[in-house]
Amino acid sequence: MCLSVRSARVSQLLAITRDVSPSIVNCELTHLSREPIDIDKARAQHAHYEHELGRLGCMVTRLPADASMPDSVFIEDIAIVFDEIAVITRPGAASRRPEIAAVTKKLSQLRPIVQIVAPGTIDGGDVLVVGRSIFVGRTLRTNDAGIGQLRAAVASYGYTVVPATVRGCLHLKSAITALDDQMLLANRRWIDEEEFNRFELLDVDEAESMGANIVRVGTAHLYASTFPRTLERLERRGYAVTTVDVSEIAKAEGAVTCCSLICRK
Ligand code: CIR
């Protein structure tokens, strides 16, 4: 299925999304307890998320998914898309590997493809790209072999790959994401702040530990509406943030960056 949500502006960005699987209730969970998920509500939230990406200037293409891939909506974990190439990951959870084929097929229409292979594992949620620096969380999902393969894939394009410490959460981007090339939104308890000392860190509110995940869409930002105190901090710093309710999707341990692959067309 291809949604063509276009903003009034000329669309420079492509956002690839993926269906909420009918089996999302069987998703992987690491730090959360299983709660019932209302699939219709999750799908409505996802459609609204796509709509807002469209309004912010993305052309949105949604890939189909079925019951064999409970976590399909979290497409970010399956690839890292650069201007030059797309790296297809080998997700750390074996249950997520059936997601690879369709994402590879789509991205091979857009970029040369490099594939992470065994014994390497990477989840895209562990990969934070800021300019030519790529921070990669060492987690249950991402290992040193995967990080080494990513480094080899991008070295000739001038990117530097830096392993990063993550504790207490699933992915690096649960703990820290970029607002722009100078400022990162962070939950310092889940990272080693020294590793990011050339950036300014904007802290999430103490009561909003999951609030460090924000999507950069060109110069705009898309953020979950469940973190009002951190939102206030963002607005005080001059960031114009669009919010979406992804509360149902969050029960599957995902956040806003996880639900799209955003790249230049
Ligand atoms: C998983 O555990 O793989 C999914 N239930 C959640 C993945 C969220 N993805 C992300 O943070 N990039």
Side-chain angles (χ1 to χ4, degrees), residues 231-243:
L231 176 65
E232 209 182 298
R233 292 185 183 190
L234 288 162
E235 289 176 339
R236 271 206 307 269
R237 292 302 290 253
Y239 292 99
V241 177
T242 298
T243 57

Side-chain angles (χ1 to χ4, degrees), residues 52-94:
E52 292 301 310
L53 284 176
R55 232 178 32 82
L56 295 175
C58 296
M59 180 174 180
V60 182
T61 298
R62 187 196 299 162
L63 303 182
D66 58 34
S68 70
M69 43 190 98
D71 282 301
S72 58
V73 70
F74 304 119
I75 190 170
E76 166 185 66
D77 292 320
I78 310 304
I80 308 131
V81 188
F82 300 93
D83 287 347
E84 301 87 354
I85 57 166
V87 176
I88 305 294
T89 67
R90 180 168 177 269

Side-chain angles (χ1 to χ4, degrees), residues 27-28 71 74 76-77 96 125 141 170-171 252-254 258:
C27 65
E28 294 283 339
D71 282 301
F74 304 119
E76 166 185 66
D77 292 320
R96 301 207 52 190
R141 301 292 179 87
L170 182 60
H171 288 130
E253 213 166 344
C258 323

